[in-house]
């Protein structure tokens, strides 16, 4: 499994591949696969709604300004998504003061969203702060840094408010912070790929994967919209088709293999087919699915509608 070493303040680190045994890799991959399937089996209708471009860009900017490892940003995105989905579900299904609000249900919803809007920046930042505390190799954002950073953004927040915001998120998630994130899937899949094929240029691919994953995250809406049309072979997918497609947009394993494939095409377009074949054998995801995801991503990357790959 890839090990991280923080060489200097900030996100600069190097990865050491090939240090994990085959048994450990197999166990980890099986665990990730089970976790991914379990997550897909328990999706909420609004899953993915808090992964739009502006919000992801904001989190990436925060981690960059705070000189945090990129892993913190991806984890913060998942923590925010899970907290907001669960918080809204609990708010609208529990016996709350909404029942006492006169007028149609939309009036209550507007009040809830207005209340969330007031503290949303703090909520987003708290997710980043919590994520920074989950690994020994990452710098931790303490409350002094947090107050100064938020002040630089034009927000005056007390340390007490910071702690209350963190606690609200932790309680909302029942203190379950071991959330899967796409970067972890990419790293584990790369490790397994390198173990099966020692000639794989791990360091080069990993560097490219970082850029590709960031691009996919920021262009998430456009990429998955194109993939939906390709999958359904329909220019105007129905609401039911969009609902069923949710298991694709939230599939971390598919995202991981797609990112690695795109990186392989960029690095050496003559060997990408072998990479697709290997990743399909490792994950059980069809080569067709990997091709489709990689194709629409490369189209967005190159700004062309002509086929970049051919099965």
């Amino acid at each position: 499994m890839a090990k991280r070493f923080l060489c200097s303040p900030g996100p600069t680190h190097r990865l050491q591949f090939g240090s994990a045994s085959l048994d450990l890799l197999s166990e980890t991959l099986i665990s990730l696969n089970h976790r991914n399937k379990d997550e897909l089996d328990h999706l909420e209708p609004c899953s993915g709604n808090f992964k739009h471009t502006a919000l992801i860009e904001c989190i990436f900017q925060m981690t960059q300004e705070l000189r945090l490892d990129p892993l913190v940003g991806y984890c913060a995105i998942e923590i925010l998504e899970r907290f907001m989905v669960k918080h809204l579900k609990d708010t609208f299904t529990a016996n709350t003061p909404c029942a006492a609000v006169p007028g149609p249900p939309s009036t209550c919803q507007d009040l809830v969203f207005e209340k969330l809007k007031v503290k949303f920046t703090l909520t987003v930042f708290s997710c980043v702060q919590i994520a920074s505390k989950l690994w020994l190799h990452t710098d931790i954002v303490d409350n002094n840094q947090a107050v100064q950073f938020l002040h630089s953004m034009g927000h005056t927040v007390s340390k007490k408010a910071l702690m209350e915001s963190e606690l609200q998120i932790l309680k909302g998630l029942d203190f379950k912070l071991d959330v899967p994130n796409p970067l972890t899937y990419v790293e584990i899949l790369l490790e397994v790929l390198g173990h099966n094929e020692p000639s794989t240029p791990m360091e080069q691919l990993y560097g490219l994967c970082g850029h590709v994953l960031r691009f996919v995250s920021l262009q998430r809406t456009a990429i998955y919209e194109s993939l939906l049309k390709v999958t359904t072979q329909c220019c105007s997918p129905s609401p039911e088709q969009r609902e069923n497609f949710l298991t694709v947009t939230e599939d971390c394993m598919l995202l991981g293999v797609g990112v690695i494939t795109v990186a392989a095409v960029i690095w050496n377009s003559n060997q990408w087919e072998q990479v697709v074949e290997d990743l399909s054998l490792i994950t059980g995801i069809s080569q067709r699915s990997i091709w489709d995801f990689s194709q629409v991503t490369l189209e967005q990357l190159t700004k062309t509608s002509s086929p970049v790959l051919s099965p």
Side-chain angles (χ1 to χ4, degrees), residues 24 28 75 122 133 146 180 196 244 265 300:
L24 180 58
T28 303
C75 184
L122 178 57
K133 301 175 181 179
N196 292 347
N244 293 334
V265 172
Q300 290 294 323

Side-chain angles (χ1 to χ4, degrees), residues 64-77:
Q64 184 175 339
E65 292 290 333
L66 291 165
R67 296 179 59 76
L68 298 172
D69 190 292
L71 181 62
V72 173
Y74 291 107
C75 184
I77 291 169

Side-chain angles (χ1 to χ4, degrees), residues 215-216 219 222-231 262 289-304 308-309:
F215 176 81
V216 173
Q219 299 297 322
I223 288 173
Y224 282 111
E225 181 67 20
S226 295
L227 185 59
L228 171 61
K229 293 176 180 179
V230 169
T231 303
V262 172
S289 295
I290 300 175
W291 277 325
D292 287 343
F293 185 96
S294 304
Q295 174 67 40
V296 298
T297 301
L298 285 164
E299 286 177 2
Q300 290 294 323
L301 192 61
T302 59
K303 297 298 181 183
T304 178
V308 182
L309 305 177

Side-chain angles (χ1 to χ4, degrees), residues 50-65:
F50 292 91
K51 292 181 180 178
H52 54 80
T53 300
L55 195 49
I56 291 177
E57 191 171 16
C58 176
I59 291 176
F60 283 164
Q61 186 66 30
M62 285 182 176
T63 56
Q64 184 175 339
E65 292 290 333

Side-chain angles (χ1 to χ4, degrees), residues 50-51 55-56 58-63 66 68-84 120 122-135 141 169 173 177 179-184:
F50 292 91
K51 292 181 180 178
L55 195 49
I56 291 177
C58 176
I59 291 176
F60 283 164
Q61 186 66 30
M62 285 182 176
T63 56
L66 291 165
L68 298 172
D69 190 292
L71 181 62
V72 173
Y74 291 107
C75 184
I77 291 169
E78 297 301 326
I79 291 175
L80 177 65
E81 162 79 10
R82 290 162 187 275
F83 169 71
M84 291 303 301
F120 192 63
L122 178 57
T123 299
V124 173
F125 181 82
S126 292
C127 290
V128 173
Q129 189 173 16
I130 290 171
S132 74
K133 301 175 181 179
L134 298 181
W135 293 277
V141 180
I169 294 170
L173 295 175
L177 301 176
V179 295
N181 70 83
L183 184 56
T184 297

Side-chain angles (χ1 to χ4, degrees), residues 172-199:
L173 295 175
D174 297 322
F175 293 88
K176 297 177 181 178
L177 301 176
D178 182 24
V179 295
N181 70 83
L183 184 56
T184 297
Y185 279 81
V186 168
E187 290 184 350
I188 298 302
L189 287 170
L190 265 180
E191 183 77 34
V192 176
L193 187 65
H195 186 278
N196 292 347
E197 181 50 65
S199 64

Side-chain angles (χ1 to χ4, degrees), residues 92 98 101-114:
F92 291 129
C98 280
V101 177
S106 59
T107 303
C108 172
Q109 294 174 7
D110 289 343
L111 290 174
V112 171
F113 284 117
E114 188 62 31

